[in-house]
C-alpha cells in the first residue's frame, strides 16, 4: 500500500479516532520499523505528546503531517509500506501507545519522558541537536527541545 493512499484514507474517509490510529501506525512504521519495540514506542510517544500540546495540530494526523516534522511528509508519497510483518508490529505498538496515553498522566508508562523531538543522525542533522538528550534508543536520539504542556480545552 502506498503512503499517499493511507494519508488520503485517514484525512477523507476514516472517522476519528480510527484516522489517528492509522496515522500513528504509519509514522511508527516509516520512522522506526527497523528499531526495537521500545524505539517504536518512543516514536509514538513523541507524536502523542505533540498532539496533546496542540502546537503541531489538534489530532495525530495533523501532527505527523505537519511540514517536515515526521516521515509522512519527508518521504515520497509513492513510498510503499510493503513489509507486512513490520506493519503489523507498528499497528500493535501504535494502538498500545494510544491506550497507554489515554491513561491519566501519572499512570502512563513513559519511554522517553518529556521528549518533544527525535532524530536519526545517519539521515538528519537538525538545528536543535544540542538540546537536552532524554535517551538514545537504537538509531534515534530523543530530545526535550521544549517543554510541551497539554493545550487548554
Amino acid at each position: 500500500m502506498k503512503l499517499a493512499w493511507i494519508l488520503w484514507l485517514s484525512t477523507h474517509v476514516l472517522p476519528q479516532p480510527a484516522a489517528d490510529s492509522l496515522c500513528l501506525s504509519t509514522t511508527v512504521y516509516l520512522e522506526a520499523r527497523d528499531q526495537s519495540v521500545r524505539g517504536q514506542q518512543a516514536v509514538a510517544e513523541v507524536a502523542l505528546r505533540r498532539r496533546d500540546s496542540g502546537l503541531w495540530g489538534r489530532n495525530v494526523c495533523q501532527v505527523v503531517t505537519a511540514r517536515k516534522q515526521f516521515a509522512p511528509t519527508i518521504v515520497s508519497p509513492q513510498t510503499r509500506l510493503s513489509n507486512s510483518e513490520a506493519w503489523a508490529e507498528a499497528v500493535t505498538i501504535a494502538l498500545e501507545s494510544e491506550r497507554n496515553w489515554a491513561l491519566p498522566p501519572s499512570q502512563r508508562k513513559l519511554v522517553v519522558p518529556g521528549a518533544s523531538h527525535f532524530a536519526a543522525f545517519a539521515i538528519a542533522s537538525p538545528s536543535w541537536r544540542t538540546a537536552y538528550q532524554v535517551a538514545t534508543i537504537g538509531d534515534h536520539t530523543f530530545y526535550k527541545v521544549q517543554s510541551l504542556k497539554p493545550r487548554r480545552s
Side-chain angles (χ1 to χ4, degrees):
M1 94 190 111
K2 284 187 183 176
L3 175 60
W5 185 81
I6 291 170
L7 295 177
W8 178 84
L9 189 65
S10 65
T11 55
H12 293 88
V13 177
L14 293 175
Q16 288 295 339
D20 274 356
S21 296
L22 180 59
C23 286
L24 188 59
S25 299
T26 301
T27 300
V28 169
Y29 177 91
L30 291 172
E31 294 281 3
R33 70 183 170 275
D34 62 341
Q35 301 298 301
S36 66
V37 168
R38 187 168 165 79
Q40 292 179 58
Q41 290 168 331
V43 166
E45 184 178 311
V46 167
L48 292 166
R49 184 172 290 114
R50 283 184 173 206
R51 186 234 13 232
D52 285 359
S53 79
L55 295 175
W56 289 270
R58 295 180 319 276
N59 60 53
V60 172
C61 290
Q62 289 174 348
V63 167
V64 302
T65 59
R67 188 173 176 271
K68 294 187 177 184
Q69 295 299 309
F70 289 91
T73 63
I74 297 170
V75 302
S76 166
Q78 300 308 310
T79 298
R80 290 189 176 275
L81 284 69
S82 55
N83 183 331
S84 58
E85 285 181 31
W87 174 251
E89 184 172 50
V91 169
T92 298
I93 289 167
L95 294 173
E96 288 172 355
S97 295
E98 288 176 319
R99 280 192 294 275
N100 177 54
W101 210 254
L103 296 171
S106 64
Q107 294 177 21
R108 293 176 186 161
K109 293 180 181 130
L110 300 179
V111 179
V112 285
S116 59
H117 294 67
F118 63 88
F121 289 113
I123 59 173
S125 185
S127 61
W128 41 260
R129 66 188 172 276
T130 58
Y132 176 76
Q133 289 188 17
V134 175
T136 297
I137 304 171
D139 294 343
H140 293 87
T141 301
F142 295 82
Y143 298 89
K144 183 175 183 177
V145 175
Q146 59 198 114
S147 292
L148 299 180
K149 295 185 176 26
R151 66 180 175 263
R152 292 189 176 100
S153 300

